[in-house]
Amino acid sequence: MAAASGDPFYVFKDDLETKVAAVNQKHAKWRVARATATDVASTTKLVDLTRQIEAAVATAEKAVKFLEETIVMVEANRLKFEHIDAVEIANRKAFIATTKTELEGVASEICSDVVKAQIGKKDRESIAPAKQSVSPSSHLTAQERNERLLEQERLQHRQIMQEQDASLAGLQTDITRLHGVTVEISNEVKQQNKMLDGVTKDVDEAQERMNFVMGRLSSLLKTKDKCQLGLILFLVAVLVAMVLLVVYT
């Protein structure tokens, strides 16, 4: 199993869980607002919550894509990520699938035709009383009504801009985090490659020494001289010692 510390998947998983929790919290408020939407103010609140949830779901879906990219990266480089076994990968895919289903369910509910019809009906019902309340004897002039209308439009535009800024800020945070994780992975891969190069060099040197010893043994085995046989035994002991050094260092 892969450790959570330093693993790109778990870095984005924690962030995604926070985003999904925020979506669920807003969704709960949205359901209450929908059930109590009986006038202009409550309908406006329902519309605002719908927009907020749409933005939150979009941000969470971006985090899901980042998680999917980490899994693709692991599957494409199994040798570099051999510590992440098949069971762990399956669990990660299951988490992503469950999260996507949850987000899709929320998005489908807040954008359903039934909800749109409900909001449209409340808007139409609110227009008639508003028209009836405006009488010729109203103290508001046409210019004042226009100014109020413009002020409402400015406030609505400002709110939309704030929501867009919040979404962009969240995206920027995700990109920055992804860049940091990518740099960490790159550094780790470079370090592992350097270690592998060192091991390869040591093995090559040991192989050269072993070839030299074996050559000496081959030439010495042609004689039955006791001194030379003793030297052969000594060289064999040296060979064994070298093999042990290669294995345990």
Side-chain angles (χ1 to χ4, degrees):
M1 299 292 289
S5 177
D7 193 320
F9 179 86
Y10 287 100
V11 173
F12 288 110
K13 180 175 182 289
D14 294 340
D15 181 65
L16 175 59
E17 288 177 336
T18 301
K19 288 181 170 61
V20 173
V23 169
N24 290 332
Q25 185 178 8
K26 292 180 183 296
H27 188 213
K29 293 181 180 179
W30 180 88
R31 285 181 169 176
V32 174
R34 180 189 175 189
T36 58
T38 56
D39 53 19
V40 178
S42 58
T43 302
T44 302
K45 180 180 179 181
L46 178 62
V47 173
D48 291 341
L49 282 173
T50 301
R51 291 174 179 171
Q52 293 176 18
I53 294 174
E54 288 175 346
V57 169
T59 302
E61 287 176 342
K62 291 184 178 69
V64 171
K65 291 181 180 179
F66 285 143
L67 280 183
E68 290 178 323
E69 290 175 0
T70 63
I71 294 179
V72 172
M73 180 174 61
V74 169
E75 290 183 325
N77 300 274
R78 294 302 295 132
L79 293 178
K80 295 180 181 178
F81 300 98
E82 57 184 3
H83 59 286
I84 303 177
D85 56 25
V87 176
E88 173 67 12
I89 293 177
N91 291 337
R92 295 182 179 191
K93 289 183 177 180
F95 170 78
I96 289 177
T98 301
T99 303
K100 289 176 69 174
T101 301
E102 184 176 359
L103 293 174
E104 289 171 357
V106 173
S108 176
E109 181 177 353
I110 65 174
C111 297
S112 65
D113 293 336
V114 176
V115 174
K116 292 179 180 179
Q118 178 185 0
I119 294 176
K121 180 180 178 181
K122 296 299 180 183
D123 287 340
R124 289 191 298 271
E125 291 176 352
S126 64
I127 291 174
K131 289 182 177 179
Q132 294 174 2
S133 63
V134 179
S135 62
S137 60
S138 175
H139 65 281
L140 293 178
T141 64
Q143 182 178 358
E144 290 174 337
R145 287 196 295 271
N146 289 335
E147 290 177 352
R148 286 194 174 186
L149 180 60
L150 290 174
E151 181 64 22
Q152 291 176 355
E153 291 180 352
R154 281 195 294 267
L155 290 175
Q156 185 177 7
H157 178 70
R158 187 182 305 167
Q159 182 179 1
I160 294 174
M161 293 297 295
Q162 290 175 349
E163 292 175 356
Q164 291 178 348
D165 291 341
S167 298
L168 290 175
L171 179 60
Q172 180 64 34
T173 301
D174 291 338
I175 293 174
T176 302
R177 187 179 291 108
L178 178 61
H179 174 71
V181 172
T182 303
V183 171
E184 290 181 3
I185 293 175
S186 177
N187 292 335
E188 183 178 353
V189 170
K190 289 179 180 178
Q191 185 177 1
Q192 290 180 355
N193 289 337
K194 187 181 296 183
M195 293 174 61
L196 289 174
D197 291 340
V199 172
T200 302
K201 183 178 179 181
D202 292 340
V203 171
D204 291 340
E205 292 178 354
Q207 183 66 40
E208 291 178 0
R209 295 173 184 173
M210 291 176 65
N211 291 337
F212 173 76
V213 173
M214 293 300 296
R216 296 293 297 171
L217 285 174
S218 297
S219 62
L220 291 175
L221 286 174
K222 296 178 181 179
T223 178
K224 296 182 179 180
D225 187 87
K226 293 182 178 180
C227 294
Q228 291 182 345
L229 290 176
L231 181 59
I232 291 173
L233 294 176
F234 173 75
L235 291 175
V236 170
V238 172
L239 175 62
V240 172
M242 290 177 60
V243 171
L244 293 177
L245 287 174
V246 171
V247 172
Y248 293 102
T249 59

